[in-house]
Amino acid sequence: MHYEHVDGAEAAGSQASSAAAGFPAYATCEWPGSGVRIDVLGGFGLWVGDDPVAVPAGSERVLAFVALCCRAAVPRPLIAGTLWPETAEPRACTNLRSALARLRTEGRRALDIGPASVCLARGTTVDLHHAQRVARRVLASTDPARLPGSIPAAVEALSMDLLPGWYDDWAQLEAEEWRQLRLHALETLAGRLIAAGRHAEAVSAAHAAVHADPLRESGQTRLLQAHLAEGNRSEALHAFRRYSRRLHEELGLEPTERLRGLVAEISPSPRGDGRPGR
């Protein structure tokens, strides 16, 4: 959310210093060892242990909204006004009470419900919080050679959209904020993997970035660099041509000279001007 989850600057500094120190401190907005988990990446889900819990649609939105507020105690009027923006305040507050009441026992375990506010219960984890820590550790590291312990797990954590198919303004804003964070993390990770000579993993990270935003040139650049570093010039050329074609068809634009330069020596254009053709 765009109000503070906790003390924003203090939390960011704490995470960065923890990552640099090399130990996996938990984010200030999440406690370890949870038996209850809320998923917002790739779709909504509520889990108690290994068992999924069915949640009514209106209650899903309350759980998701509070989960995105991290550990902050969220005032009831703020929840009600955000989730039911077109409804008068008394009715919106009634809707919130009803949504909370419809939660079964398992669902209510995820929340600490007070008379004036609602927050996540101690021990409830959220998949987004873990993925954000992965992204921030990648971006905060001052050592270019520093890599996550499990590259596949890191790429997977950074590959999922937040609440796809949810069109509420608050969900869309959070989804875009997460998209930007994970794109930067995936591109940074791909660059470090290229430098480390781990080309297959670099291609995987770059592909995840490209899948998240096919028209973003920085992701395409990492993908071409990974293919070229591995010696797969044909793969690089195919990737460039796919991107060039899509960019032209959807936006009427051409790749920048910087990107063209990566493949200029592979496929000079028939015009002889040194530019790869589409």
Side-chain angles (χ1 to χ4, degrees), residues 43-44 57 60-62 64-65 162-168 170-172 175:
F44 179 87
E60 278 188 358
R61 296 169 72 240
V62 175
F65 183 80
L162 190 153
L163 296 173
W166 289 40
Y167 300 108
D168 308 73
W170 59 270
Q172 293 275 289

Side-chain angles (χ1 to χ4, degrees), residues 15-93:
Q15 286 185 327
S17 60
S18 295
F23 54 89
Y26 284 88
T28 54
C29 60
E30 185 171 324
W31 282 281
S34 167
V36 181
R37 187 182 83 242
I38 298 174
D39 288 348
V40 292
L41 297 180
F44 179 87
L46 175 65
W47 299 79
V48 175
D50 295 327
D51 299 321
V53 176
V55 180
S59 303
E60 278 188 358
R61 296 169 72 240
V62 175
L63 284 168
F65 183 80
V66 174
L68 294 177
C69 295
C70 219
R71 292 290 164 189
V74 191
R76 281 176 175 254
L78 176 59
I79 302 173
T82 302
L83 298 187
W84 292 277
E86 305 301 324
T87 306
E89 183 176 343
R91 180 60 185 171
C93 290

Side-chain angles (χ1 to χ4, degrees), residues 19-275:
F23 54 89
Y26 284 88
T28 54
C29 60
E30 185 171 324
W31 282 281
S34 167
V36 181
R37 187 182 83 242
I38 298 174
D39 288 348
V40 292
L41 297 180
F44 179 87
L46 175 65
W47 299 79
V48 175
D50 295 327
D51 299 321
V53 176
V55 180
S59 303
E60 278 188 358
R61 296 169 72 240
V62 175
L63 284 168
F65 183 80
V66 174
L68 294 177
C69 295
C70 219
R71 292 290 164 189
V74 191
R76 281 176 175 254
L78 176 59
I79 302 173
T82 302
L83 298 187
W84 292 277
E86 305 301 324
T87 306
E89 183 176 343
R91 180 60 185 171
C93 290
T94 298
N95 290 345
L96 174 59
R97 287 195 298 272
S98 177
L100 291 170
R102 287 198 301 272
L103 282 171
R104 295 194 294 182
T105 302
E106 296 89 344
R108 293 179 72 85
R109 284 177 56 187
L111 300 176
D112 183 358
I113 302 172
S117 63
V118 181
C119 65
L120 289 181
R122 185 179 182 90
T124 299
T125 57
V126 180
D127 60 350
L128 174 65
H129 301 169
H130 165 72
Q132 287 172 328
R133 290 200 306 274
V134 172
R136 287 169 180 151
R137 286 171 187 164
V138 169
L139 294 170
S141 176
T142 57
D143 181 0
R146 184 177 178 83
L147 295 168
S150 171
I151 299 302
V155 172
E156 181 180 6
L158 299 171
S159 293
M160 290 183 284
D161 294 331
L162 190 153
L163 296 173
W166 289 40
Y167 300 108
D168 308 73
D169 288 345
W170 59 270
Q172 293 275 289
L173 287 170
E174 282 292 318
E176 177 58 20
E177 183 177 326
W178 166 239
R179 189 181 75 89
Q180 290 293 331
L181 177 62
R182 70 190 182 97
L183 282 170
H184 283 96
L186 283 166
E187 292 164 4
T188 298
L189 180 59
R192 290 180 181 167
L193 289 164
I194 292 169
R198 297 168 65 170
H199 301 130
E201 292 168 314
V203 169
S204 175
H207 265 303
V210 167
H211 180 75
D213 189 343
L215 297 177
R216 182 178 166 103
E217 185 163 308
S218 50
Q220 295 284 348
T221 297
R222 288 302 192 206
L223 182 58
L224 296 187
Q225 291 171 334
H227 284 315
L228 291 171
E230 197 172 18
N232 290 325
R233 298 191 299 169
S234 63
E235 294 278 6
L237 186 57
H238 288 322
F240 173 83
R241 286 176 172 168
R242 284 194 302 269
Y243 172 64
S244 180
R245 187 181 307 114
R246 184 166 186 172
L247 189 65
H248 179 76
E249 291 173 351
E250 296 191 22
L251 298 178
L253 299 175
E254 300 292 333
T256 63
E257 290 296 329
R258 178 174 177 271
L259 191 65
R260 289 179 178 276
L262 288 175
V263 294
E265 296 182 2
I266 300 175
S267 176
S269 72
R271 300 187 301 273
D273 60 6
R275 294 187 174 187

